[in-house]
Amino acid sequence: MATPKKKTNTKKKSTVKKTVKTTKTKAVKKTIAGKKTSVTVKAAKKAAPKTGTSKTTTKRASAKSKTVSTKTAKPVRDISYDPKAIEQKWQAKWEADKLYRAVIDYSKPKHYALTMLPYTSGDLHFGHWYPMAPSDARARFKRMNGYNVLFPIGFDAFGLPAENAAIKRGIHPKEWTYKNIENMRRQLKSMGAMFDWEREAITADPEYYKWTEWFFIQLYKQGLAYRKMSAVDWCPSCNTTLAREQVVGENRVCERCGTPVIKKNLEQWFFKTTKYADELLNFDELDWPERVKVLQTNWIGRSEGASVIFRTEAGDPIEIFTTRPDTLWGATFMVFAPEHPLVDKVTTPEQREAVEAYRAQVARESDIEREAVDKEKTGVFTGGYAINPVNHARIPIWIADYVLMSYGTGAIMAVPAHDERDFEFARKYDLPIVQVIKPEGESEAGELKAAYVGPGVMINSGPFDGTKVNAEKGRKNPGISAVIDWLEEMGIGKEAVNYRYRDWLISRQRYWGAPIPMIYCEKDGWNPVPEDQLPVLLPDDVEWKPTGESPLKFHPTWKNTTCPVCGEPAVRETDTMDTFMCSSWYHLRYLSPHYDKGPFDPVEYDYWMPVDTYTGGIEHATMHLLYTRFFHKAMRDAGIVKGNEPMIQLRNQGIILGEDNEKMSKSRGNVVAPDELVEKYGTDALRTYLMFAYRWEEGGPWNPQGIDGTARWLRRIWALFTDASDSPASASVETKRTLRRRVHQTLKRVTRDFENFEFNTIISSLMELLNDMYKAREAGAVGTPEWDEATEIYLKMLAPVAPHIAEELWTNQLGKPYSIHQQSWPQVDEEAAREDMIELPIQINGKVRDRITVPAGASEEEIKAAALASEIVKKYLDGKEPKKVIVAKGRLVSIVV
RNA sequence: GCCGAAGUGGCGGAACUGGCAGACGCGCACGACUCAAAAUCGUGUUCCCUCCGGGAAUGUGGGUUCGAUUCCCACCUUCGGCACCA
């Protein structure tokens, strides 16, 4: 570049340029070039001199003078940056060189960076780029920091969409899936990520699902897989059962297709996730977002209380769970769920007809109707009575739809005085209400207007009258604790914990999934397929039912086999596993995707596990992220894996919405196709834009114009590095010092932000530094050692975010040794980063009135003296002594007048 | 109803120890270059006033403090999750 522009960016107030206006320090005025003297427009406007400095530098005048100088400057112009060519070239070379192959290296610390594997729906969209590209940048950062980084990728390939496509278009799910994988692989490669493709795993490959089946058998052997008849959620559109986690929203719809689910009584396979409920509530070893921990905690829904045995008049025990054993003396009736097994037995002949009618009515109601909170409670008296074990009161037994068979024991003691639902019910059916907790300090209460649920003193409670009860739950509440002790002593109840969490229903009545490797024999019942016969392969020759019913069930021969125990003819389970089972262990298959002596090579396991950083969407908080933790703990207890947790650090990105601020979907037509953007702007621009435009954990609506900003930035980088500058190495000492300071300050910030997943500020710091480097170049910094250091550090910081342009400029422009991605992350030179002069604002009565510039090491006294010497301060003081002067070192001076 | 997160210019966002609010970028306006456009470069861009200067402002109202986007209290709004959970 022939003529450096004689201009200063007057807009910026960044630390490189300090325009100081006090009389005392007026001379201290710096730009990165160290020799600019013009009063800048903004400064003139903002902090206009009070000291008689000429006001002739008006906006117009200064703008004009700049205009003149611009004419002599050649604008930065570049046409040679061709992202497409550069990106394709380097991607091919990196692949040929196996630059991202991750192999065990005991001389280095390992870092397992994992990003959630994509489902093989056909197209890689923004939902994939947004988590993956920044995760890749961070993995690259870790690698440059000396870690041996594993950043694998694979495909979640089983599941319904493939089967639906098969039904709709007559393509075999396998064909549809593997065609999609091919396309997605190409798209993923266009991202330029450091994926180690030799570790790719596909969950629908027999060499993969063989081990998914094997894991099922291990769970079975551990007693954690069982078959049970129960009322399960069924999606009529997907034609399959669903796990409770897969039923979402207040309309209780299928997580995948949005169809309201119905209940069906079916015998299905479950995993005993509840066995680990307590351990899953422990997040001590995890660096996970608070949000996710709260979601999982609420999902598991632990409540502490007591289990108490009531009895029917015939002596049958009725177990109930209560969080308020302190209110046992106020139980004036009992309520059973209509499906409760004792209903038949306690119902009297006179009430039988009413009870049967009510049960029939409830059975007709959908779950949504039945569980609507605002619905008025209904119920029917059974005619039977129970005995309250604490006071031997004879209380009526009702059935009502507000008691659910699926929670607790399906029976409750009703304490209308201290439970809102029971109160409402008692009022409606005119049942007695007995108050047993009185708010402290109040006299004996009159008639209750509403249930009292606060703390107080126990009354009408026999031996416990006068006992104080606070608002705490469980044993933490001394009143409740005393009652529990007494219940245990009397042998009528005990401390108990109840969970909202349910066992994981894993049976799916579908074809495209890993077969459940179980065999049923009339004589020997259910037994696992012998492990040496795995995998149970899916048959290819199947016929699709338009109804969506599993073709496995109708296959003429597939299910026929022999019993592994007696050798007689037997049948296979025709259900397949929930695909969440496949994804519960994919991070283990990446370790050795072709290993055939087990699900993973233990040598690889010992080196790489656990996953150090896991990135993906928060929508999996109570599904995949909970399943995989359960899976790991169960396999730990089976002696197959080690440690308590599979993924130590978790970070969730937000969601990119469409331009219309709605979720991207084909039907809305607001889907942004990454392929087109890569074509138009290049991968580097797209990657950096995704990092720059949002707080990564928040996401937000897509702004089609925003990407121009990062594309422009990359072009400006290109221009700075490729324009031959003929300016001599003429920079002043101050310019060079300032350049180094800015480089090392930026490095410090960028390093910190990478560690913290704060990608947007990484890019903005790099943009700022580029602006400073342009100024330094104008001031003749090119050719100096400081400039060379700046360019080298700049490209190294750029390498993780924009790997292609960084490589091109590094290798071909600077002529440094290939590859930049194998270089070490630069070290911060703290001395260089240190400011030697700092500008301090002076506040008078809380408002900034002036600024002074002092040496960074100035003492409090010196700063105070300098501040009080300011003309402006003197004006405000008006000859008086300041009431108070506060010097916040390195921050500001605050004067109270 | 319960649990959680978030409210900052026209927009995305920054301010990481309680210390200069609005960095960086988008958009927009004006100017340069161009036959023209694009690209590029430059300047400006929170709001208000009497435009010299000053005032107000980080969802709202209070509080602590020399000083609050940051801490405390109350409330409002938006988003996410759970929801008759005994």
Side-chain angles (χ1 to χ4, degrees):
Chain A
M1 183 161 177
T3 318
K5 291 179 298 302
K6 294 276 190 286
K7 291 185 32 175
T8 287
N9 183 346
T10 61
K11 183 184 171 188
K12 313 299 178 272
K13 287 194 304 178
S14 64
T15 54
V16 296
K17 179 182 63 196
K18 291 159 186 163
T19 312
V20 180
K21 287 291 175 283
T22 61
T23 43
K24 188 173 167 81
T25 55
K26 194 172 158 191
V28 183
K29 180 190 299 176
K30 293 178 288 187
T31 69
I32 193 156
K35 57 188 180 188
K36 294 291 179 261
T37 52
S38 65
V39 173
T40 63
V41 173
K42 186 151 186 175
K45 190 179 140 202
K46 262 201 127 145
K50 314 274 199 215
T51 54
T53 302
S54 163
K55 294 287 171 38
T56 53
T57 325
T58 63
K59 263 189 209 182
R60 194 169 295 278
S62 77
K64 202 169 177 183
S65 73
K66 279 167 176 115
T67 301
V68 171
S69 68
T70 307
K71 277 192 171 162
T72 62
K74 190 175 98 183
V76 174
R77 172 159 240 147
D78 170 66
I79 45 163
S80 66
Y81 176 45
D82 180 358
K84 215 173 135 185
I86 290 172
E87 289 169 7
Q88 285 176 357
K89 178 179 78 181
W90 287 114
Q91 280 169 20
K93 181 158 171 60
W94 294 334
E95 191 169 349
D97 295 345
K98 296 183 186 288
L99 193 69
Y100 303 125
R101 180 82 180 103
V103 291
I104 291 175
D105 177 351
Y106 293 106
S107 72
K108 284 181 178 172
K110 65 93 186 179
H111 181 83
Y112 189 171
L114 182 66
T115 189
M116 288 182 188
L117 87 175
Y119 182 73
T120 51
S121 55
D123 237 332
L124 207 62
H125 51 76
F126 260 82
H128 298 115
W129 274 74
Y130 189 57
M132 285 180 187
S135 299
D136 173 59
R138 194 165 182 283
R140 289 171 175 279
F141 166 78
K142 281 291 186 187
R143 172 166 152 141
M144 291 177 80
N145 276 276
Y147 289 91
N148 186 22
V149 175
L150 171 58
F151 187 53
I153 192 75
F155 297 95
D156 184 18
F158 271 140
L160 264 173
E163 215 168 328
N164 291 342
I167 295 162
K168 211 162 124 192
R169 285 173 254 180
I171 315 170
H172 195 282
K174 189 190 267 182
E175 196 188 322
W176 185 83
T177 300
Y178 282 79
K179 218 171 73 193
N180 286 343
I181 288 175
E182 225 167 279
N183 184 46
M184 291 175 77
R185 212 183 265 135
R186 174 189 62 76
Q187 291 178 307
L188 282 166
K189 287 186 175 177
S190 81
M191 194 184 287
M194 58 172 289
F195 295 127
D196 177 359
W197 287 98
E198 288 181 47
R199 290 175 180 273
E200 180 197 83
I202 300 171
T203 61
D205 280 349
E207 67 172 357
Y208 187 103
Y209 74 76
K210 170 181 176 176
W211 299 106
T212 307
E213 294 172 4
W214 182 85
F215 275 122
F216 179 98
I217 293 171
Q218 308 316 305
L219 286 161
Y220 181 82
K221 285 195 205 159
Q222 292 288 301
L224 293 170
Y226 66 95
R227 204 173 151 85
K228 183 178 78 173
M229 170 67 90
S230 68
V232 295
D233 293 309
W234 174 272
C235 172
S237 163
C238 297
N239 260 299
T240 183
T241 51
L242 298 172
R244 184 167 165 177
E245 289 78 13
Q246 290 153 26
V247 179
V248 297
E250 59 184 311
N251 300 329
R252 299 186 46 77
V253 299
C254 168
E255 175 255 340
R256 218 171 238 298
C257 71
T259 308
V261 300
I262 56 172
K263 285 273 190 223
K264 272 199 179 184
N265 277 310
L266 288 172
E267 207 179 292
Q268 300 279 285
W269 287 100
F270 291 85
F271 288 152
K272 215 180 257 176
T273 46
T274 50
K275 183 182 170 191
Y276 291 91
D278 261 327
E279 202 190 335
L280 289 167
L281 286 169
N282 180 349
F283 300 97
D284 288 353
E285 293 176 33
L286 299 181
D287 171 15
W288 281 27
E290 211 51 42
R291 280 196 291 180
V292 176
K293 294 195 244 177
V294 167
L295 284 171
Q296 293 199 345
T297 302
N298 291 346
W299 187 257
I300 292 168
R302 179 188 155 102
S303 12
E304 293 175 14
S307 121
V308 182
I309 310 291
F310 283 58
R311 290 197 184 270
T312 63
E313 284 190 296
D316 293 311
I318 310 164
E319 189 187 354
I320 60 112
F321 171 76
T322 177
T323 54
R324 293 295 304 274
D326 53 318
T327 64
L328 265 163
W329 286 263
T332 52
F333 57 102
M334 295 197 82
V335 187
F336 287 1
E339 306 88 346
H340 193 279
L342 276 174
V343 171
D344 272 334
K345 209 168 170 190
V346 300
T347 302
T348 55
E350 306 82 64
Q351 291 299 109
R352 177 131 342 246
E353 199 178 323
V355 166
E356 290 305 328
Y358 185 75
R359 292 173 92 179
Q361 178 204 323
V362 169
R364 275 197 308 274
E365 283 178 346
S366 72
D367 266 21
I368 310 161
E369 290 163 340
R370 179 167 168 186
E371 292 179 13
V373 184
D374 46 2
K375 192 188 138 208
E376 197 180 329
K377 294 174 191 3
T378 59
V380 168
F381 179 41
T382 61
Y385 287 84
I387 304 301
N388 184 340
V390 300
N391 56 8
H392 307 289
R394 182 170 177 265
I395 56 177
I397 300 170
W398 286 60
I399 59 171
D401 56 0
Y402 79 94
V403 174
L404 310 172
M405 200 58 221
S406 56
Y407 184 80
T409 60
I412 62 160
M413 66 163 185
V415 183
H418 306 291
D419 181 280
E420 281 158 17
R421 295 152 300 173
D422 298 345
F423 185 85
E424 189 194 324
F425 195 81
R427 271 292 165 86
K428 181 168 177 183
Y429 293 105
D430 207 18
L431 291 157
I433 298 170
V434 174
Q435 190 174 358
V436 291
I437 307 286
K438 161 176 86 78
E440 208 167 347
E442 274 182 30
S443 55
E444 202 75 13
E447 197 185 336
L448 282 173
K449 297 257 184 321
Y452 177 73
V453 294
V457 179
M458 292 172 69
I459 53 170
N460 302 324
S461 298
F464 286 94
D465 281 353
T467 306
K468 282 184 190 170
V469 185
N470 62 29
E472 296 281 347
K473 306 271 184 197
R475 284 283 191 186
K476 286 197 286 287
N477 189 328
I480 289 177
S481 189
V483 173
I484 291 174
D485 287 342
W486 181 81
L487 290 171
E488 288 177 350
E489 210 173 291
M490 305 295 284
I492 49 181
K494 58 180 196 297
E495 184 178 7
V497 175
N498 208 7
Y499 300 92
R500 215 186 71 94
Y501 199 36
R502 296 276 83 89
D503 280 344
W504 177 13
L505 191 172
I506 61 123
S507 299
R508 296 292 176 273
Q509 290 68 46
R510 302 300 308 219
Y511 164 75
W512 192 235
I516 295 174
M518 297 296 292
I519 294 169
Y520 181 75
C521 161
E522 290 288 341
K523 191 165 125 269
D524 297 304
W526 286 100
N527 282 291
V529 174
E531 289 177 25
D532 59 7
Q533 288 173 28
L534 295 180
V536 176
L537 285 170
L538 283 174
D540 283 339
D541 56 332
V542 285
E543 264 183 68
W544 310 103
K545 304 274 167 185
T547 56
E549 281 176 287
S550 171
L552 289 181
K553 221 156 65 179
F554 300 99
H555 191 280
T557 55
W558 182 79
K559 68 178 172 191
N560 298 325
T561 183
T562 51
C563 173
V565 178
C566 66
E568 293 297 309
V571 291
R572 295 186 187 283
E573 170 64 87
T574 57
D575 286 349
T576 54
M577 281 184 252
D578 182 1
T579 53
F580 279 114
M581 178 62 182
C582 309
S583 56
S584 289
W585 73 281
Y586 74 103
H587 55 286
L588 299 175
R589 193 62 187 165
Y590 283 153
L591 301 173
S592 47
H594 309 299
Y595 190 69
D596 60 2
K597 295 179 197 66
F600 53 81
D601 181 343
V603 174
E604 297 275 341
Y605 184 97
D606 287 342
Y607 181 74
W608 294 108
M609 279 295 284
V611 172
D612 295 280
T613 345
Y614 194 28
T615 54
I618 197 164
E619 68 273 16
H620 288 295
T622 56
M623 293 193 270
H624 163 64
L625 290 171
L626 205 45
Y627 295 140
T628 195
R629 289 183 67 211
F630 155 76
F631 182 94
H632 188 91
K633 289 170 192 302
M635 288 303 109
R636 172 203 61 197
D637 291 347
I640 293 164
V641 302
K642 297 166 191 168
N644 296 320
E645 296 285 349
M647 293 116 182
I648 302 305
Q649 184 185 44
L650 174 74
R651 290 294 181 272
N652 303 115
Q653 81 286 352
I655 301 172
I656 301 295
L657 304 167
E659 251 181 90
D660 52 4
N661 209 7
E662 299 285 338
K663 209 171 170 187
M664 281 191 199
S665 76
K666 277 183 190 156
S667 58
R668 277 205 192 83
N670 61 355
V671 174
V672 180
D675 278 9
E676 287 166 30
L677 291 162
V678 170
E679 180 70 22
K680 188 171 170 195
Y681 294 96
T683 292
D684 283 340
L686 188 49
R687 290 170 57 106
T688 48
Y689 180 57
L690 288 174
M691 289 178 221
F692 178 58
Y694 314 87
R695 274 187 282 217
W696 189 63
E697 297 192 3
E698 296 294 322
W702 171 252
N703 172 4
Q705 286 168 324
I707 191 170
D708 287 325
T710 47
R712 210 169 281 153
W713 169 57
L714 294 175
R715 280 198 294 272
R716 272 167 55 78
I717 292 172
W718 184 266
L720 184 76
F721 278 79
T722 57
D723 271 6
S725 173
D726 60 357
S727 70
S730 60
S732 67
V733 171
E734 183 56 31
T735 297
K736 291 188 280 190
R737 168 84 182 99
T738 307
L739 176 62
R740 282 207 82 210
R741 178 159 56 234
R742 295 289 299 125
V743 166
H744 285 276
Q745 286 176 343
T746 305
L747 177 59
K748 207 170 166 176
R749 280 210 297 270
V750 166
T751 307
R752 179 195 69 196
D753 292 348
F754 260 121
E755 287 294 347
N756 297 337
F757 295 81
E758 284 165 5
F759 301 106
N760 55 344
T761 47
I762 291 171
I763 308 292
S764 57
S765 296
L766 289 175
M767 284 174 169
E768 281 182 74
L769 181 57
L770 186 73
N771 292 340
D772 292 333
M773 285 173 70
Y774 264 96
K775 284 178 220 154
R777 181 171 77 166
E778 254 178 66
V782 175
T784 64
E786 290 80 3
W787 179 261
D788 292 343
E789 183 197 25
T791 53
E792 188 174 326
I793 292 179
Y794 198 87
L795 289 183
K796 283 181 177 176
M797 291 192 290
L798 183 67
V801 295
H804 310 84
I805 188 174
E807 182 79 282
E808 176 70 21
L809 293 174
W810 176 265
T811 309
N812 290 342
Q813 195 64 36
L814 298 188
K816 303 265 185 188
Y818 170 85
S819 158
I820 191 168
H821 304 298
Q822 290 167 313
Q823 304 300 316
S824 297
W825 192 250
Q827 289 294 311
V828 176
D829 181 341
E830 292 289 350
E831 179 56 25
R834 196 175 50 82
E835 297 280 355
D836 27 40
M837 294 297 283
I838 50 171
E839 190 194 50
L840 298 179
I842 302 176
Q843 286 188 347
I844 297 168
N845 291 341
K847 287 199 193 318
V848 176
R849 299 293 182 181
D850 200 6
R851 288 152 207 286
I852 53 170
T853 302
V854 297
S859 69
E860 245 176 69
E861 286 67 35
E862 287 164 332
I863 294 169
K864 193 170 165 181
L868 291 175
S870 147
E871 287 298 326
I872 293 171
V873 172
K874 281 181 186 163
K875 193 187 104 188
Y876 275 92
L877 279 174
D878 199 19
K880 287 180 289 239
E881 276 299 304
K883 249 189 207 150
K884 208 171 185 182
V885 179
I886 295 139
V887 177
K889 263 189 117 180
R891 303 278 185 186
L892 54 43
V893 182
S894 185
I895 299 171
V896 187
V897 179

